[in-house]
Amino acid sequence: MAFMEKPPAGKVLLDDTVPLTAVIEASQSLHSHTEYIIRVQRGISMENSWQIVRRYSDFDLLNSSLQISALSLPLPPKKLIGNMDREFIAERQKGLQNYLNVITTNHILSNCELVKKFLDPNNYSVNYTEIALQHVSMFFRSEPKWEVVEPLKDIGWRIRKRYFLMKSKNQPKERLMLSWADFGPDKYLSDKDFQCAVKLLPSCSHPYIYKVTFATANESSALVIRPFNEKGTLKDLIYKAKPKDPFLKKYCNPKKIQGLELQQIKTFGRQILEVLKFLHEKGFPYGHLHSSNVVLDGDTCRLLDLENSLLGLPSFYRSYFSQFRKINTLEGVDVHCFGHLLYEMTYGRPPDSIPVDGFPPAPSASVVAVLESILSCEAIKNGMPSVSKVLQMSLFSDILLTNSEKAQFKIPTKLKEALKTAKECTEKRLTEEQKLIHQHRRLTRAQSHHGSEEEKKKRKILARKKSKLSAFESGEEHSVKYSNSNNSAGSGASSPLTSPSSPTPPSTAGK
C-alpha cells in the first residue's frame, strides 16, 4: 500500500503542551531600530532554554495575526518619533514583557502555532499542512475513491494535526472529515501493534462514540476518516461557534457566555461518563477528553479521537494536571478533564485557574457537588474519584439512557497486553514529570523565602545576636585567662610546696 511507504519514521519527542516562558533579558539599539534579546524556556529546566532576538515590528506582526482571537492584547502602541530614547526603550521593554506574560499564560494562545513559531522558530518552522497533504496524497495513490474537497484550516488546537473536508467518489454527496497526525511523545506501541490498533477503530461500535469510517497508519503517522458533523462539537454549542471557523476565532473570546440547561448538563455528562467507563473496562486508554472532542448528534454526545492515545499525543489539559501528583493515572486524567468539561457546560467558560477556590451559583447544588469532588483544592490534594463513583453521584444517577445501540469493541488479548504496557509507560512519564515539577516548586519556594525582605531582616537580627554572643564569649575567655594567670602567679609565691598541676582553691589564692 502506497501510504505505508515514505515519509521516514520518526517519533516526535517534543511535548507541545509543555509551557514556554519568555523573559526579555536586554535590548540593543542599532542605527534605526531596537532589538530585544529574549530568553525562552520550555518547562522548568533552565538547561532547556534559548535566546531569540525580536524587534517591535515582529511583536506587531504577531499581534496582528492574533487579532482573530478577538482578545484585547496589551501590545504597547507604536511611536514614530523619539522611539530611540533610552527612557522610552526601557518603558517599551516593560510593556513588551507584559505582552509576553499575557500570551504565554493564556491556555489557548500559548498552545497555538503563531505563538510557538514566534518563541521557538527552530522547532515550529515546518508547514504541517503541507506535510499532511504529502501523506494523504500517498495514501490516495492506492485508494482513489477518496477526494479532498478543502483543508479545514486551524479548526483544531493541535499544531501537528491537520483536518480536511473529504468526499467519497462512490457517495459524492456525503461529507467526510479526514484527520492526520504524526506520533507524539507517548507513543509506546510497537509499529505492528499500533497499526493493528488503528485498523480496529472502524469496528468500534458504541452509542456514545462517533463512528470511524476508515483508519490506517504508516511508520510515523495515522489518518482517520469520519462523517463530517455539520452541527459541530459540544464546545461549538457552548460557545455558539461555527464548526469550520479557526480555533482561535471560535473559543478565545466568546461574545456571549452562557452555560447549558440543567437537563443537558445531566444527560451529556452521564453519556460521556458511560463511554469513559466502557473504554476503561476494555483496557483502551483515552486521556483526551475536552469539549472539542465531543460531537453532538441531536441530544446525544459522541466521543471523538480515540486514535490520540495510540499516537501518543499529549492531552489538551496536560499543563494543568501535570502540576498535581495525585492525578497520576489515565482514569484520574479522564476524571479531571471531565471536571473541566462539566465546568464549561455549567458556566459557559473554562475555570480561571485550577484548583477552584469557590464555585459561582449553578443550576443545581448537585452540579457543584460533582465539581467540588474533582476541581476543588481538597480533591486536587487527595486525588480524583473513579469514573464509577462520579456516575453514582445524584447529578447523574437519575438519568435514563434510551439509546439501544449495542456497545461492541473486540480487542485481541495480545493487543490488550500491549495497550496495558503503553498505558503504564504513559503514566510513568507523567509521574516523572510531576515529580520534577514538585521538586522545582519546592526549591523555588525555598529560594523565594530565603530572598524575602522579612527573611533578610531575620537573618540580620540573627547575625547581630551571634556577633554580640561571640564578642561576649571572647571577653569572658579573655577574663578567665587573665584570672588563671594571676592565680598561677599567686600560688607560686605563697605555697612553693603545692604542685603546679594541683587545683588551688580560690580562697587560698586570695589570701
Side-chain angles (χ1 to χ4, degrees):
M1 189 173 173
F3 181 64
M4 309 309 291
E5 295 167 7
K6 292 184 177 181
K11 177 179 172 181
V12 178
L13 297 175
L14 191 67
D15 187 336
D16 296 322
T17 64
V18 176
L20 298 180
T21 53
V23 177
I24 302 175
E25 294 184 319
S27 62
Q28 54 188 20
S29 296
L30 304 180
H31 296 296
S32 60
H33 66 273
T34 302
E35 291 181 338
Y36 299 93
I37 300 163
I38 305 168
R39 170 71 58 181
V40 183
Q41 182 174 317
R42 175 175 286 105
I44 58 173
S45 174
M46 278 293 292
E47 295 175 3
N48 198 359
S49 69
W50 58 93
Q51 279 187 338
I52 57 172
V53 177
R54 293 288 181 266
R55 297 170 56 173
Y56 176 82
S57 57
D58 298 321
F59 280 90
D60 188 46
L61 185 62
L62 171 66
N63 194 61
S64 297
S65 301
L66 293 177
Q67 291 306 300
I68 191 173
S69 69
L71 290 169
S72 180
L73 299 172
L75 182 72
K78 292 180 181 180
K79 187 177 181 182
L80 299 177
I81 300 172
N83 60 5
M84 298 299 287
D85 295 342
R86 185 177 295 178
E87 288 183 6
F88 171 76
I89 291 170
E91 197 61 32
R92 173 175 273 184
Q93 182 172 319
K94 287 181 183 177
L96 293 175
Q97 182 61 63
N98 181 47
Y99 181 82
L100 288 172
N101 294 344
V102 169
I103 64 173
T104 54
T105 53
N106 181 292
H107 185 58
I108 294 179
L109 290 185
S110 62
N111 281 298
C112 80
E113 189 173 0
L114 293 166
V115 172
K116 297 283 191 186
K117 279 186 175 180
F118 182 83
L119 296 175
D120 188 5
N122 289 341
N123 282 307
Y124 297 98
S125 58
V126 177
N127 187 326
Y128 293 104
T129 301
E130 196 174 293
I131 291 174
L133 276 170
Q134 289 173 6
H135 283 265
V136 172
S137 298
M138 282 189 281
F139 161 67
F140 284 154
R141 290 177 192 172
S142 59
E143 295 284 347
K145 70 175 184 176
W146 306 105
E147 185 179 328
V148 174
V149 177
E150 61 175 321
L152 296 170
K153 195 176 179 186
D154 300 328
I155 66 163
W157 69 276
R158 289 190 187 278
I159 295 171
R160 303 172 199 273
K161 193 167 191 175
R162 287 295 184 263
Y163 299 88
F164 302 90
L165 197 61
M166 306 285 297
K167 68 179 180 181
S168 168
K169 291 179 181 177
N170 300 334
Q171 295 175 299
K173 290 185 179 181
E174 184 186 8
R175 283 190 157 194
L176 302 164
M177 185 176 72
L178 181 148
S179 63
W180 170 90
D182 57 8
F183 293 164
D186 285 317
K187 192 267 182 183
Y188 297 108
L189 289 173
S190 68
D191 288 347
K192 184 180 177 182
D193 288 331
F194 172 70
Q195 291 183 25
C196 176
V198 168
K199 288 177 181 178
L200 270 181
L201 293 177
S203 69
C204 178
S205 176
H206 190 281
Y208 309 124
I209 292 177
Y210 201 54
K211 185 69 178 172
V212 171
T213 305
F214 181 84
T216 190
N218 69 1
E219 70 277 11
S220 64
S221 62
L223 66 80
V224 178
I225 298 175
R226 296 178 173 88
F228 178 70
N229 189 291
E230 300 286 347
K231 293 182 180 179
T233 64
L234 180 56
K235 201 174 188 80
D236 293 325
L237 174 70
I238 295 169
Y239 289 75
K240 299 169 180 59
K242 297 177 182 177
K244 290 168 70 175
D245 278 348
F247 200 85
L248 292 184
K249 183 178 180 180
K250 290 189 287 189
Y251 309 131
C252 270
N253 191 22
K255 292 178 181 177
K256 188 177 181 182
I257 296 174
Q258 184 179 352
L260 303 182
E261 298 291 331
L262 179 60
Q263 192 59 33
Q264 288 177 308
I265 294 170
K266 291 164 70 79
T267 303
F268 294 163
R270 174 69 188 269
Q271 291 170 351
I272 291 164
L273 288 168
E274 287 290 347
V275 71
L276 289 177
K277 184 170 178 281
F278 171 79
L279 289 173
H280 285 293
E281 287 173 350
K282 287 290 181 182
F284 192 95
Y286 187 55
H288 292 274
L289 181 63
H290 60 94
S291 54
S292 285
N293 271 354
V294 180
V295 163
L296 280 176
D297 184 6
D299 291 329
T300 303
C301 280
R302 301 186 195 275
L303 208 61
L304 279 173
D305 288 3
L306 265 62
E307 69 274 13
N308 283 359
S309 60
L310 305 177
L311 284 156
L313 304 181
S315 169
F316 181 64
Y317 292 118
R318 187 180 178 90
S319 61
Y320 288 93
F321 60 73
S322 61
Q323 305 292 317
F324 310 116
R325 298 180 76 182
K326 288 288 185 177
I327 307 174
N328 51 19
T329 66
L330 282 186
E331 183 174 6
V333 166
D334 280 335
V335 172
H336 179 73
C337 294
F338 178 78
H340 282 263
L341 187 149
L342 181 61
Y343 191 102
E344 220 171 359
M345 286 197 294
T346 305
Y347 301 112
R349 59 179 179 84
D352 294 326
S353 60
I354 299 294
V356 179
D357 291 327
F359 295 91
S364 167
S366 58
V367 177
V368 176
V370 179
L371 289 171
E372 285 178 339
S373 75
I374 299 171
L375 299 181
S376 67
C377 295
E378 188 178 350
I380 295 296
K381 184 180 177 181
N382 297 327
M384 297 292 101
S386 66
V387 173
S388 297
K389 190 169 182 180
V390 180
L391 267 169
Q392 291 167 7
M393 297 183 78
S394 61
L395 181 63
F396 310 114
S397 60
D398 63 344
I399 294 294
L400 295 174
L401 301 176
T402 56
N403 200 309
S404 59
E405 183 184 343
K406 188 180 178 182
Q408 189 173 352
F409 194 15
K410 291 183 179 179
I411 304 173
T413 306
K414 192 176 178 183
L415 181 58
K416 270 190 178 180
E417 288 299 315
L419 288 170
K420 183 182 176 183
T421 302
K423 171 181 169 289
E424 289 168 353
C425 291
T426 301
E427 291 171 347
K428 183 181 178 184
R429 185 176 85 88
L430 174 60
T431 303
E432 289 171 351
E433 183 181 339
Q434 289 170 332
K435 183 180 178 181
L436 290 173
I437 291 172
H438 178 70
Q439 290 171 347
H440 174 75
R441 194 182 292 136
R442 287 184 64 183
L443 179 63
T444 303
R445 275 202 300 262
Q447 289 172 340
S448 176
H449 178 67
H450 189 72
S452 67
E453 289 300 319
E454 188 180 341
E455 190 62 21
K456 284 177 182 177
K457 286 179 183 177
K458 284 181 181 178
R459 288 202 300 274
K460 282 182 181 178
I461 293 168
L462 189 62
R464 287 196 201 107
K465 285 182 178 178
K466 282 184 177 179
S467 179
K468 286 178 181 178
L469 184 63
S470 179
F472 177 74
E473 287 175 347
S474 177
E476 275 204 332
E477 187 180 346
H478 178 75
S479 176
V480 169
K481 283 182 179 179
Y482 180 76
S483 176
N484 286 344
S485 174
N486 286 343
N487 289 345
S488 299
S491 300
S494 61
S495 182
L497 297 174
T498 305
S499 169
S501 62
S502 302
T504 305
S507 58
T508 308
K511 286 181 179 179

